[in-house]
Amino acid sequence: MYKYAAIFTLLAILAMTACDSGLDGQLNENIPPTTSLTVNEINLPEGERLVSQVNISWWGDDPDGYVVGYEFFIGDVTTAGEEEWVYTTSSDSTFILPIEEGDEDADVEFTVRAIDNEGARDPEPPTVIFPITNSPPQIEFNNFETPPDTTYRIASFGFTASDPDGDANLNRIEIALNDTTSEGAWKDIGLGLNLVTIQIDDTADPATASILLGRSAIESNFNFDTVHLNGENEFFIRSIDNAAAVSETVSYEWHVKRQTSNILFLNDYQGSSSGDRFDLHANLLAEVGISQIDYIDISDGTPTGGRRVPFTQALPDRSLASPTTNLMLAQWDHIYWISDNLDRNIGYALEMTLDFFDQGGTMFVNIPSKFVSDQNVLLQFLPFERVEPVPVGESSFIINSGAEMQASDGTEDAPLLRFRRIRTAEHPIVPFDETVPLYEAPFRVRGGFPPTTKDYDGSKLISATNPEQNLIYFGIDFDEFTNEDNSDCQPSSQINEEDENAPAPCSEVDLLLQQLVIDILGFQQ
């Protein structure tokens, strides 16, 4: 019995002891963190200052916890409201320190304070004063992104703006046309662009120019009424930074022609015969009622090594095919394109005529056919699949002097077309399934020694249109047909059918043009 009493007494003592074992005293208060700047003071030689873009770093310590972030303030810290501190978890950053608009220099305070895990902030944050100066921004035109010497309604300008103090210090880009002093002469196009296009309305009096922004040619609300039609124009551009410092103004001069027609004649016929070929086609167009055309000579450059010619300098640079050249060519309803070689600028036509065809444009192409690789990009543009090579064992195709062109099935009222001399350079074209054939040439093949000619059984197609009938290719130079200048032909109206010795009738190239350009393609003034 004494055994159980002793155990009970021991348990009671333990219980009373446990009830009286609580800790006495007070908890320590949270100690706020401290902050340090990597650089506490800026010492520069007299007269020297930093650029406004500076890199600043710092760190924080907390004796009874850990640092979770920082807050910084730029300016006189004694005026800082709590909501004006900027929070960050970084311990360094690059800043564009502010300079009052119109000032070149400033002494800018930067203060930073650490925050610990209980939300306490450094009560005595460090400050450093940065003596800074503002450098004016810069701007320049991009290589190859300015207009050719002469344009019609469309001209684009590519540029690059920068600032020695950091591009974040740029505020805006401004442009002007022919006038930089009148009120409202400069147009603010903001930032984020490296290309502007002016689109001239030469039907207005006076002419005006709207501004298209960026490489997507987005319409803006800005217009110029200072266009000089059929004269020299000067485009100005400058950049301005956040301190209102202005870059040097750069400018570009070029000639603007008034567009007088909805038909553009592209002359890509190289050499001394270029002018004669233009006269031939211009006279034929006049005979079918088209006397007013706009004209661009794109016959500069020479193809070498079997490669296509470098892109003409008479049009905007190839890098500006979109938007500039597409916008430019779409100003016309019809394009009449002549050349002496498929290795010339026709090889670039696909990339610069998308807008033209999307807006319902039609095009006539007169370029002598020749063999080209099946991989040639122009086969993606012209309305045929490939060009026939000379058959194995033969030396060339041949078209005899005096031979006549034949209309393809379905081509009605074909005019008379006779060759004035032997031709050995042209090759037949091979149509797609969807190609609409128009004319065949009397191709034969020549080979052997001595040379002999024989019939040719392959494709003889030389002219065709695409299924939409908005593009016609004619693969014989018009100068190869007999005309009134030839001594061996005479206009049909002057031929005495009873005279057995009368010369053969001349080719009816004007009727060909009427059929292809007017009746099928719908060219009209």
Side-chain angles (χ1 to χ4, degrees):
M1 182 173 180
Y2 292 108
K3 175 180 178 182
Y4 291 112
I7 293 172
F8 178 81
T9 302
L10 178 60
L11 292 172
I13 293 171
L14 289 173
M16 288 186 292
T17 303
C19 292
D20 195 39
S21 63
L23 297 176
D24 293 330
Q26 296 179 345
L27 292 174
N28 290 329
E29 294 183 2
N30 178 51
I31 300 175
T34 60
T35 319
S36 300
L37 283 159
T38 304
V39 176
N40 294 312
E41 188 176 5
I42 307 296
N43 293 306
L44 295 172
E46 185 176 355
E48 292 190 12
R49 286 179 169 269
L50 302 173
V51 297
S52 61
Q53 178 174 283
V54 296
N55 183 269
I56 308 174
S57 57
W58 56 85
W59 73 91
D61 288 312
D62 187 52
D64 58 354
Y66 54 91
V67 172
V68 296
Y70 303 90
E71 290 177 332
F72 64 84
F73 180 79
I74 298 174
D76 183 356
V77 71
T78 62
T79 66
E82 284 301 312
E83 70 283 355
E84 296 180 278
W85 290 83
V86 180
Y87 179 79
T88 180
T89 58
S90 298
S91 58
D92 71 299
S93 189
T94 298
F95 297 88
I96 302 292
L97 299 179
I99 297 178
E100 288 292 327
E101 186 172 319
D103 292 343
E104 292 185 4
D105 300 332
D107 296 323
V108 181
E109 295 182 26
F110 179 89
T111 306
V112 63
R113 63 189 185 187
I115 306 172
D116 70 11
N117 56 300
E118 294 192 25
R121 290 159 171 76
D122 184 350
E124 298 180 355
T127 294
V128 64
I129 298 175
F130 289 91
I132 61 173
T133 188
N134 183 61
S135 301
Q138 302 167 350
I139 197 164
E140 61 183 359
F141 289 116
N142 297 337
N143 289 337
F144 311 115
E145 293 189 347
T146 50
D149 292 341
T150 301
T151 70
Y152 284 91
R153 294 175 176 171
I154 300 294
S156 290
F157 302 85
F159 56 88
T160 298
S162 60
D163 193 311
D165 300 317
D167 290 351
N169 194 41
L170 287 170
N171 182 274
R172 63 188 183 275
I173 307 295
E174 293 183 343
I175 61 175
L177 181 66
N178 293 322
D179 172 24
T180 60
T181 59
S182 299
E183 183 179 354
W186 289 96
K187 312 296 184 184
D188 177 1
I189 61 171
L191 291 175
L193 302 173
N194 59 12
L195 185 81
V196 294
T197 300
I198 62 172
Q199 179 170 271
I200 297 169
D201 180 1
D202 53 15
T203 65
D205 186 18
T208 60
S210 57
I211 301 171
L212 309 178
L213 303 177
R215 296 183 185 273
S216 298
I218 299 171
E219 293 184 2
S220 72
N221 295 322
F222 304 124
N223 291 278
F224 292 118
D225 58 4
T226 51
V227 181
H228 298 160
L229 286 178
N230 295 322
E232 299 304 309
N233 288 258
E234 189 168 8
F235 178 84
F236 300 89
I237 190 167
R238 67 187 184 185
S239 57
I240 301 172
D241 69 13
N242 288 326
V246 182
S247 71
E248 290 187 9
T249 298
V250 295
S251 66
Y252 184 86
E253 292 187 31
W254 85 111
H255 187 87
V256 173
K257 293 179 69 175
R258 180 191 292 272
Q259 184 171 322
T260 63
S261 169
N262 62 352
I263 299 171
L264 174 64
F265 192 112
L266 292 177
N267 185 359
D268 197 14
Y269 203 104
Q270 190 186 41
S272 59
S273 298
S274 178
D276 292 338
R277 288 299 191 279
F278 168 70
D279 289 342
L280 169 65
H281 287 268
N283 290 335
L284 288 169
L285 285 168
E287 288 185 32
V288 297
I290 298 176
S291 58
Q292 188 68 50
I293 57 175
D294 293 308
Y295 177 82
I296 301 178
D297 186 336
I298 59 172
S299 63
D300 56 304
T302 302
T304 58
R307 299 180 179 179
R308 60 182 169 177
V309 70
F311 190 65
T312 177
Q313 296 183 30
L315 297 177
D317 188 75
R318 189 183 174 196
S319 63
L320 296 177
S322 178
T324 311
T325 311
N326 269 275
L327 280 171
M328 185 200 79
L329 294 182
Q331 301 301 304
W332 288 274
D333 297 330
H334 316 289
I335 294 177
Y336 193 101
W337 192 322
I338 67 168
S339 182
D340 60 326
N341 195 325
L342 287 174
D343 286 333
R344 296 195 59 78
N345 288 286
I346 193 65
Y348 303 101
L350 179 66
E351 64 196 52
M352 60 185 185
T353 58
L354 298 175
D355 289 355
F356 170 77
F357 285 112
D358 283 348
Q359 295 182 27
T362 63
M363 179 184 293
F364 178 72
V365 177
N366 181 210
I367 305 176
S369 66
K370 70 171 216 174
F371 181 73
V372 296
S373 164
D374 290 353
Q375 306 304 312
N376 195 308
V377 68
L378 68 83
L379 296 177
Q380 301 175 36
F381 179 72
L382 295 176
F384 50 88
E385 181 178 18
R386 57 187 175 86
V387 180
E388 287 278 40
V390 174
V392 176
E394 308 297 343
S395 61
S396 69
F397 288 105
I398 184 171
I399 301 173
N400 290 324
S401 174
E404 295 183 7
M405 291 273 283
Q406 299 294 320
S408 301
D409 292 341
T411 303
E412 299 179 356
D413 300 324
L416 172 66
L417 300 170
R418 295 176 57 249
F419 287 85
R420 65 182 180 87
R421 61 176 178 168
I422 292 175
R423 300 300 304 150
T424 59
E426 288 79 10
H427 286 234
I429 59 176
V430 179
F432 290 107
D433 290 341
E434 299 85 2
T435 297
V436 180
L438 296 174
Y439 283 91
E440 295 181 351
F443 284 103
R444 296 172 62 83
V445 289
R446 181 168 66 176
F449 185 82
T452 58
T453 65
K454 59 183 179 181
D455 291 338
Y456 172 64
D457 295 330
S459 171
K460 296 184 179 181
L461 190 65
I462 201 65
S463 177
T465 182
N466 56 1
E468 297 80 14
Q469 297 195 22
N470 59 7
L471 169 63
I472 288 179
Y473 171 75
F474 196 89
I476 299 292
D477 190 324
F478 281 6
D479 189 56
E480 296 304 328
F481 299 121
T482 56
N483 56 54
E484 295 182 26
D485 295 332
N486 300 139
S487 59
D488 60 344
C489 80
Q490 196 172 55
S492 299
S493 60
Q494 301 178 16
I495 293 178
N496 182 355
E497 296 181 359
E498 297 179 359
D499 184 357
E500 295 181 357
N501 298 318
C506 299
S507 296
E508 300 170 323
V509 184
D510 56 335
L511 298 182
L512 173 69
L513 211 59
Q514 171 71 39
Q515 179 189 65
L516 301 183
V517 173
I518 306 298
D519 296 343
I520 296 178
L521 293 178
F523 276 46
Q524 54 184 316
Q525 296 270 146

